[in-house]
Amino acid sequence: MTLVDRVVFPGSFDPLTNGHVDIILRGLKVFDQAEVTVGVLCNPDKKYLFTGDERVALIKEVFSEYGQRVRVKSFSGLLADFLRQEDVKVIVRGLRAISDFEYENQIALMNRYLSEVETCFLVASEENSFISSSLVKQVAGLHGDVARFVPPIVAQALERKFR
Ligand code: PNS
């Protein structure tokens, strides 16, 4: 058996939610000898609320106390290429509900085909199972309270965006 010393948790993180934090913390526990790289997708064709730099900075701040165990890097293009570049063989993704599985299964198989990596699914806690970045943006955009769904610095950043 080979020790897993690096895993990547990829996503758009527009913005980071408590659901993402939950999965990253679970990843740190399950892969307790590994460095967890949060891979922030910056697709030039996609419109994001937060720029790539803003998304990376927010995640770095939330995980600042974890030092070398949590790295945050942006990537564009294929995740498979980013994994090769980082020399990582394990992807971590969160599952909130059965409805996530179909899409996640497709991308896991595609990524395995493209770069022979395994995807490890971690299940979010029930209280985070309905949270998504898009819902959070919708609620924050309508000036609803999102404090329960995102880390405090993300709530402040959302407030500034929609002020
Ligand atoms: O947070 P998201 O938007 O659900 O994350 C999706 C992500 C970033 C994991 C996925 O879209 C991705 O890896 N995109 C990069 C392009 C790519 O590699 N596509 C082929 C395999 S899905």
Side-chain angles (χ1 to χ4, degrees):
M1 202 167 86
T2 330
L3 177 78
V4 176
D5 61 357
R6 265 175 255 188
V7 302
V8 164
F9 178 43
S12 303
F13 306 105
D14 188 36
L16 180 82
T17 67
N18 288 343
H20 297 129
V21 173
D22 180 351
I23 298 298
I24 295 169
L25 295 178
R26 285 173 202 283
L28 286 165
K29 264 199 219 151
V30 173
F31 299 101
D32 62 349
Q33 303 296 309
E35 197 176 75
V36 174
T37 298
V38 182
V40 180
L41 179 66
C42 296
N43 180 344
D45 302 329
K46 206 177 150 187
K47 240 183 142 335
Y48 299 99
L49 176 65
F50 291 94
T51 66
D53 286 349
E54 287 172 329
R55 286 177 281 144
V56 166
L58 285 170
I59 303 168
K60 277 190 175 163
E61 200 169 330
V62 170
F63 287 93
S64 56
E65 72 199 64
Y66 287 84
Q68 292 293 93
R69 285 219 61 208
V70 180
R71 291 159 75 237
V72 188
K73 285 197 160 187
S74 62
F75 74 100
S76 56
L78 281 180
L79 174 60
D81 290 337
F82 177 63
L83 296 168
R84 253 190 295 272
Q85 195 183 303
E86 296 290 309
D87 193 22
V88 171
K89 304 265 183 300
V90 178
I91 298 170
V92 171
R93 288 282 287 173
L95 286 179
R96 289 166 301 191
I98 295 279
S99 52
D100 281 342
F101 182 73
E102 203 168 332
Y103 170 66
E104 292 297 336
N105 187 48
Q106 281 179 351
I107 67 170
L109 290 170
M110 182 57 81
N111 283 320
R112 186 194 277 162
Y113 176 79
L114 292 172
S115 71
E116 289 181 19
V117 289
E118 292 298 332
T119 299
C120 172
F121 295 122
L122 298 178
V123 176
S125 63
E126 314 85 274
E127 69 262 28
N128 290 323
S129 64
F130 63 96
I131 304 175
S132 69
S133 296
S134 41
L135 262 186
V136 162
K137 280 184 285 193
Q138 193 183 114
V139 173
L142 296 168
H143 306 289
D145 182 9
V146 292
R148 144 83 181 79
F149 312 123
V150 293
I153 58 154
V154 175
Q156 287 155 20
L158 281 163
E159 224 243 88
R160 283 194 299 275
K161 282 275 175 202
F162 290 116
R163 196 176 282 162

Coordinates of all heavy atoms in Angstrom, one line a residue, residues 10-13 41 46 75 77-80 93 103 107 110-111 114, ligand 1:
P10 N -10.8 19.8 -5.7 CA -11.0 20.9 -6.7 C -12.4 21.4 -6.7 O -13.4 20.8 -6.2 CB -10.8 20.1 -8.0 CG -11.3 18.7 -7.7 CD -11.1 18.5 -6.2
G11 N -12.6 22.6 -7.1 CA -13.9 23.2 -7.2 C -13.8 24.7 -7.7 O -12.8 25.2 -7.9
S12 N -15.0 25.3 -7.8 CA -15.1 26.7 -8.2 C -15.0 27.6 -7.0 O -14.4 28.7 -7.0 CB -16.4 27.0 -8.9 OG -16.5 26.1 -10.0
F13 N -15.5 27.2 -5.8 CA -15.5 27.9 -4.6 C -15.8 29.4 -4.8 O -15.1 30.3 -4.4 CB -14.1 27.8 -4.0 CG -13.6 26.4 -3.8 CD1 -12.6 25.8 -4.6 CD2 -14.1 25.6 -2.8 CE1 -12.2 24.5 -4.5 CE2 -13.7 24.3 -2.6 CZ -12.8 23.7 -3.5
L41 N -10.8 26.4 -9.5 CA -10.9 26.5 -11.0 C -11.2 28.0 -11.4 O -12.1 28.6 -10.9 CB -12.1 25.6 -11.5 CG -12.3 25.7 -13.0 CD1 -11.1 25.1 -13.7 CD2 -13.6 25.0 -13.4
K46 N -15.9 31.5 -17.9 CA -17.0 31.4 -16.9 C -17.1 32.8 -16.1 O -16.0 33.3 -15.8 CB -16.9 30.3 -15.9 CG -18.2 29.8 -15.4 CD -18.0 28.6 -14.5 CE -19.1 28.6 -13.4 NZ -18.9 27.6 -12.4
F75 N -6.2 27.0 -10.8 CA -5.9 26.3 -12.0 C -6.9 26.6 -13.1 O -8.0 27.0 -12.8 CB -5.7 24.7 -11.8 CG -7.0 24.0 -11.7 CD1 -7.6 23.3 -12.7 CD2 -7.7 24.0 -10.5 CE1 -8.8 22.6 -12.6 CE2 -8.9 23.3 -10.3 CZ -9.5 22.6 -11.4
G77 N -8.1 25.2 -17.2 CA -8.0 24.0 -18.1 C -8.4 22.7 -17.5 O -9.3 22.7 -16.5
L78 N -7.8 21.6 -17.9 CA -8.2 20.3 -17.3 C -7.7 20.1 -15.9 O -6.5 20.3 -15.7 CB -7.7 19.2 -18.2 CG -8.4 18.9 -19.6 CD1 -7.7 17.8 -20.3 CD2 -9.9 18.5 -19.3
L79 N -8.6 19.5 -15.1 CA -8.2 19.1 -13.8 C -7.1 18.1 -13.9 O -6.1 18.1 -13.1 CB -9.4 18.6 -13.0 CG -9.1 18.0 -11.6 CD1 -8.5 19.0 -10.7 CD2 -10.4 17.4 -11.0
A80 N -7.2 17.2 -14.8 CA -6.2 16.1 -15.0 C -4.8 16.7 -15.2 O -3.8 16.1 -14.7 CB -6.6 15.2 -16.2
R93 N -13.8 14.8 -3.4 CA -15.0 15.6 -3.7 C -16.1 15.3 -2.6 O -16.1 14.2 -2.0 CB -15.6 15.2 -5.1 CG -14.7 15.7 -6.2 CD -14.9 17.2 -6.5 NE -16.2 17.5 -7.2 CZ -16.6 18.7 -7.4 NH1 -15.9 19.8 -7.0 NH2 -17.8 18.9 -8.0
Y103 N -23.5 13.2 -11.6 CA -22.6 14.1 -12.1 C -21.1 13.8 -11.6 O -20.2 13.7 -12.3 CB -23.0 15.6 -11.8 CG -21.9 16.6 -12.1 CD1 -21.5 16.9 -13.4 CD2 -21.3 17.4 -11.1 CE1 -20.6 17.9 -13.7 CE2 -20.4 18.4 -11.4 CZ -20.0 18.6 -12.7 OH -19.1 19.5 -13.0
I107 N -17.7 12.7 -13.7 CA -16.4 13.4 -13.7 C -15.3 12.6 -13.1 O -14.2 12.6 -13.6 CB -16.5 14.9 -13.2 CG1 -16.7 15.0 -11.7 CG2 -17.4 15.8 -13.9 CD1 -16.5 16.4 -11.1
M110 N -14.3 10.3 -15.9 CA -13.5 11.0 -16.9 C -12.1 11.3 -16.4 O -11.1 11.2 -17.1 CB -14.3 12.3 -17.3 CG -13.6 13.2 -18.3 SD -13.4 12.3 -19.9 CE -15.0 12.4 -20.6
N111 N -12.0 11.8 -15.2 CA -10.7 12.1 -14.6 C -9.8 10.8 -14.5 O -8.6 10.9 -14.8 CB -10.8 12.8 -13.3 CG -11.2 14.2 -13.4 OD1 -10.8 14.9 -14.3 ND2 -12.1 14.7 -12.6
L114 N -8.6 10.2 -18.0 CA -7.6 11.2 -18.4 C -6.3 11.1 -17.7 O -5.2 11.5 -18.2 CB -8.2 12.6 -18.3 CG -9.3 13.0 -19.2 CD1 -9.9 14.4 -18.8 CD2 -8.9 13.0 -20.6
Ligands
PNS1 O1 -17.3 23.4 -7.6 P1 -17.7 22.8 -8.9 O2 -18.0 23.9 -9.9 O3 -18.7 21.7 -8.8 O4 -16.3 22.1 -9.4 C1 -16.3 21.4 -10.6 C2 -14.9 21.0 -11.0 C3 -13.9 22.2 -10.9 C4 -14.3 19.9 -10.2 C5 -14.9 20.5 -12.5 O5 -15.7 21.4 -13.3 C6 -13.5 20.5 -13.2 O6 -12.6 19.8 -12.7 N1 -13.3 21.3 -14.2 C7 -12.1 21.5 -14.9 C8 -12.2 21.0 -16.4 C9 -12.1 19.5 -16.5 O7 -11.1 18.9 -16.1 N2 -13.1 18.9 -17.2 C10 -13.1 17.5 -17.4 C11 -13.4 16.6 -16.2 S1 -14.9 17.1 -15.4

